[in-house]
Amino acid sequence: MQALWMVVASLLFATMGVCVKFASEYFTSSELVFYRGLIGMAFMAALARSRGTSLRTTVPGMHAWRSLIGVVSLGAWFYAIAKLPLATAMTLNYMSSVWIAAFLVGGALLAWNPLKPGTGPNAAGPPQGGSAPPGGSAARKAASVGAPFLQGPLVLTVLAGFAGVVMMLRPTIEQNQIFAGLIGLLSGLGAAFAYMQVMALARVGEPESRTVFYFAVGSAIAGALGMALTGVSQWHWMPALWLLPVGVLASLGQLCMTRAYSHAKTPGGTLLVANLQYSGIVFGAVYSVVLFGDHIQWIGWLGMALIVLSGIAATVLRTRAAPNAPAEEH
């Protein structure tokens, strides 16, 4: 069931992106974040009440951190959707798995100390009165030196993912939209941290409805602060109708995504859920071409495929290269 929940979540998020694209012609990103949070609060509060779930939490700090990261990612994503083709904005947001893999590689390199196993008074030979272990200190040092290179396939997938980004943004750069492309890339970075925090909340026993509710609260607060700084757009009733599905679809998608991750109890289940999130890119590409008539050059399609493949590979390889890291981070 966790696989189905993730596919449904991806479809809902892609459909929400369509609504954001239409609404962004009349409202700023701050306003979209605010209304998305406000509608989400009402929706999730009603859902929690119908289920008899209390909204009182014992881990407010974790919810605050998750909301802060999620709001930054959300605002960046909405801005990218407004300025870029929907397929491009969706793909950049789904770079989260590649970002997580990059974090793991960077952490492994920072923690690596090639001199540690070979240092000490007995580094040159076996202890007095004893015999050298099989392979001796030279073998241990060689193993240490080779340790970072065990991350080689993971490094290649990360490089492939960012190569895909360059291929996707090449047409964007030519259209003087590089800033929007970087903001879209930032949304994927924030999404990586947000997914990790969602799993952490699930492991401490927080129900899905409560997690999504507090994220909606954080979105409403952040959006209101943004509106205070940037101002409020003129209200138009017809375009404002797009705000309702933005909030409802976002809440449903967030709930399905949270349920998918929290129900992934085994490593294989987690990998399946993480990989199926890329179905959102497919949905977004279909919407982009059919509804908005976006013309994506062949190099853009190739870059999109490279990002999807590298993200799936990174999800699998990071578990093999550092199997304990996700549990510690989440």
Side-chain angles (χ1 to χ4, degrees):
M1 286 300 296
Q2 66 265 25
L4 178 60
W5 283 120
M6 179 51 75
V7 172
V8 173
S10 299
L11 176 60
L12 292 172
F13 283 136
T15 307
M16 181 199 70
V18 172
C19 301
V20 170
K21 188 76 171 176
F22 283 119
S24 63
E25 298 182 10
Y26 303 92
F27 300 96
T28 65
S29 297
S30 296
E31 290 173 305
L32 293 175
V33 170
F34 170 75
Y35 290 116
R36 178 239 188 267
L38 195 64
I39 296 171
M41 284 174 56
F43 184 88
M44 295 312 303
L47 180 62
R49 183 173 182 179
S50 67
R51 293 181 174 180
T53 302
S54 173
L55 294 177
R56 180 176 299 178
T57 180
T58 58
V59 286
M62 293 183 67
H63 283 288
W65 178 238
R66 186 267 180 274
S67 295
L68 176 62
I69 299 172
V71 165
V72 171
S73 175
L74 182 68
W77 188 28
F78 282 4
Y79 181 86
I81 289 175
K83 303 298 182 181
L84 299 172
L86 182 62
T88 302
M90 291 289 297
T91 305
L92 294 176
N93 183 257
Y94 277 88
M95 277 282 291
S96 57
S97 289
V98 178
W99 279 114
I100 294 175
F103 299 156
L104 292 176
V105 172
L109 292 176
L110 289 175
W112 177 50
N113 185 356
L115 300 178
K116 186 176 181 180
T119 56
N122 298 319
Q128 292 183 349
S131 58
S137 61
R140 292 194 303 271
K141 188 172 182 178
S144 174
V145 171
F149 299 99
L150 296 177
Q151 307 282 352
L154 193 58
V155 173
L156 292 177
T157 59
V158 172
L159 294 177
F162 285 104
V165 170
V166 173
M167 295 169 68
M168 280 203 66
L169 293 184
R170 183 178 177 182
T172 301
I173 294 174
E174 294 173 354
Q175 297 169 14
N176 298 320
Q177 294 176 325
I178 181 61
F179 180 74
L182 293 176
I183 294 298
L185 198 59
L186 176 63
S187 73
L189 175 62
F193 285 111
Y195 291 152
M196 292 161 62
Q197 192 65 13
V198 164
M199 294 183 69
L201 286 165
R203 289 177 179 175
V204 298
E206 288 294 275
E208 298 96 333
S209 55
R210 187 184 300 161
T211 298
V212 179
F213 172 79
Y214 281 109
F215 175 55
V217 172
S219 299
I221 294 175
L225 292 176
M227 291 167 62
L229 295 176
T230 61
V232 180
S233 303
Q234 186 177 358
W235 185 266
H236 298 279
W237 279 106
M238 290 303 294
L241 295 178
W242 289 110
L243 298 175
L244 182 60
V246 167
V248 173
L249 292 173
S251 298
L252 289 174
Q254 194 72 29
L255 184 63
C256 291
M257 186 270 288
T258 304
R259 182 177 290 271
Y261 275 103
S262 62
H263 284 195
K265 303 298 184 182
T266 65
T270 302
L271 286 176
L272 178 63
V273 167
N275 288 334
L276 283 175
Q277 68 177 309
Y278 291 99
S279 60
I281 295 178
V282 178
F283 297 134
V286 172
Y287 282 143
S288 186
V289 173
V290 174
L291 296 181
F292 299 102
D294 292 328
H295 175 69
I296 303 175
Q297 299 181 14
W298 67 267
I299 194 172
W301 286 109
L302 186 59
M304 190 183 305
L306 189 58
I307 290 173
V308 172
L309 293 176
S310 63
I312 293 175
T315 302
V316 176
L317 290 173
R318 75 169 186 251
T319 304
R320 295 178 180 176
N324 295 325
E328 293 171 2
E329 292 289 344
H330 298 21

